[in-house]
Amino acid sequence: GTFYLFVDVAKAISNLQLKDDVALAEYLLEHAHVATVPGTAFGTKGYIRLSFATDMENLKAAIQSIASVLEP
């Protein structure tokens, strides 16, 4: 099995006026302190890959951190 989710982030890229999913992954690491993998690495430009192979508390914290830097 796999523990990954690909998320369409085209709107976030546009809203933040970033170049692409690579830039968004860097942005999330720097500002939300959450590591993601750009979808471009898997041939899915405009997406990021999230791993959910951790406990629910870590997932909730990561999603809240991402949301806090993406919401206006």
Side-chain angles (χ1 to χ4, degrees):
T2 182
F3 300 100
Y4 302 110
L5 175 69
F6 283 86
V7 180
D8 182 345
V9 291
K11 186 174 179 179
I13 292 167
S14 177
N15 288 348
L16 293 169
Q17 299 178 342
L18 298 172
K19 180 180 176 184
D20 56 19
D21 53 309
V22 175
L24 180 62
E26 292 172 2
Y27 182 90
L28 292 175
L29 183 58
E30 182 178 330
H31 297 280
H33 309 290
V34 175
T36 62
V37 180
T40 297
F42 303 95
T44 54
K45 185 176 180 178
Y47 286 74
I48 56 171
R49 186 180 83 166
L50 302 174
S51 171
F52 55 94
T54 188
D55 63 72
M56 189 58 71
E57 291 306 312
N58 283 335
L59 291 172
K60 286 179 183 179
I63 295 303
Q64 288 173 346
S65 187
I66 290 171
S68 74
V69 301
L70 294 183
E71 293 177 348

